[in-house]
Amino acid sequence: MTLASSERAAICDELERVGPDRPTLCEGWSTRHLLAHLLVRERQPWAAPGIVVPALAPFTERAMGGYEGAPWGDMVGQLRAGPPLWSPFRIPKLDEVGNGIEFFVHHEDVRRGEPGWEPRPPDPVRDAKLWAAVVRMGSGLYRHSPVGIVLRRPSGDQHVVRTGAGLVTIVGEPAELVLHAFGRDAARVELEGDPTAVEAVAAAARGV
């Protein structure tokens, strides 16, 4: 089973469990907003560019608004069914590359949207895929860091994702490293290094 397929099933199970009005880690978004985002991205590719192009964001928001009154079970069922024939994500390789981390991060956005959350138990297969992904994507995700960044697992594996004046090592399980790299505050990581450099990374994460 791929990361995309396993996380698709997992987030659908979680969305069914919590319903459409649960807060998420995505500021201003309930679970309904988040699911609408995923459905537009996968089922309406002509409306999805606004996800990454600010000038087109109103077009994407209108498409998401089309799900405002949709039955919750139908929406979850559409995501669970997988990409339609016209979606680029119908291609298995694109599904894994484009949806594996997307579904994982948004699954955690749902799980961690309210206090009292705990990380999921370790999964060697999933964790290996998450580690490989954050190693591959880290230089881009931390491109605005004012200092050098090293990612390190508790097992001792580490990877330099950015060089620069000063150095901060971010320590955590692969799932937590992925979430931190994607700007989520609800990630259990430790930042090690000179206090000034650590504060610079923390400030950058807060958008200060």
Side-chain angles (χ1 to χ4, degrees):
M1 182 176 286
T2 66
L3 182 64
S5 60
S6 62
E7 288 300 310
R8 181 189 296 274
I11 192 174
C12 286
D13 290 346
E14 187 71 9
L15 290 168
E16 283 184 339
R17 186 182 73 81
V18 303
D21 301 315
R22 174 78 171 259
T24 74
L25 294 182
C26 300
E27 185 176 359
W29 277 11
S30 67
T31 41
R32 179 177 290 276
H33 296 118
L34 190 151
L35 180 51
H37 157 80
L38 292 174
L39 290 175
V40 167
R41 178 178 172 273
E42 184 165 84
R43 304 180 73 86
Q44 300 181 45
W46 52 88
I51 295 171
V52 294
V53 181
L56 300 177
F59 187 45
T60 302
E61 290 168 3
R62 283 196 297 273
M64 289 174 57
Y67 288 98
E68 187 62 33
W72 184 244
D74 290 353
M75 291 176 65
V76 176
Q78 287 181 27
L79 186 66
R80 192 183 293 278
L85 289 173
W86 59 85
S87 173
F89 297 115
R90 189 77 176 187
I91 301 170
K93 184 64 174 179
L94 290 181
D95 182 46
E96 178 64 358
V97 172
N99 280 335
I101 294 298
E102 178 83 4
F103 288 158
F104 171 80
V105 171
H106 284 320
H107 182 192
E108 294 299 325
D109 286 337
V110 176
R111 292 187 68 255
R112 305 184 187 206
E114 291 184 334
W117 59 268
E118 289 292 332
R120 283 184 271 172
D123 180 312
V125 174
R126 183 194 68 221
D127 292 347
K129 292 176 180 178
L130 293 174
W131 174 248
V134 78
V135 165
R136 182 178 70 251
M137 302 169 68
S139 60
L141 293 170
Y142 286 104
R143 64 188 180 278
H144 298 304
S145 172
V147 301
I149 297 289
V150 174
L151 303 179
R152 187 171 76 220
R153 303 176 63 173
S155 64
D157 294 338
Q158 65 179 33
H159 182 75
V160 178
V161 297
R162 181 174 176 82
T163 59
L167 181 68
V168 170
T169 299
I170 305 172
V171 184
E173 297 293 347
E176 308 305 312
L177 295 173
V178 167
L179 291 170
H180 185 272
F182 275 86
R184 271 43 176 191
D185 291 334
R188 290 187 179 170
V189 297
E190 295 182 6
L191 275 60
E192 299 178 351
D194 178 82
T196 301
V198 168
E199 176 54 32
V201 171
R206 296 193 303 267
V208 177

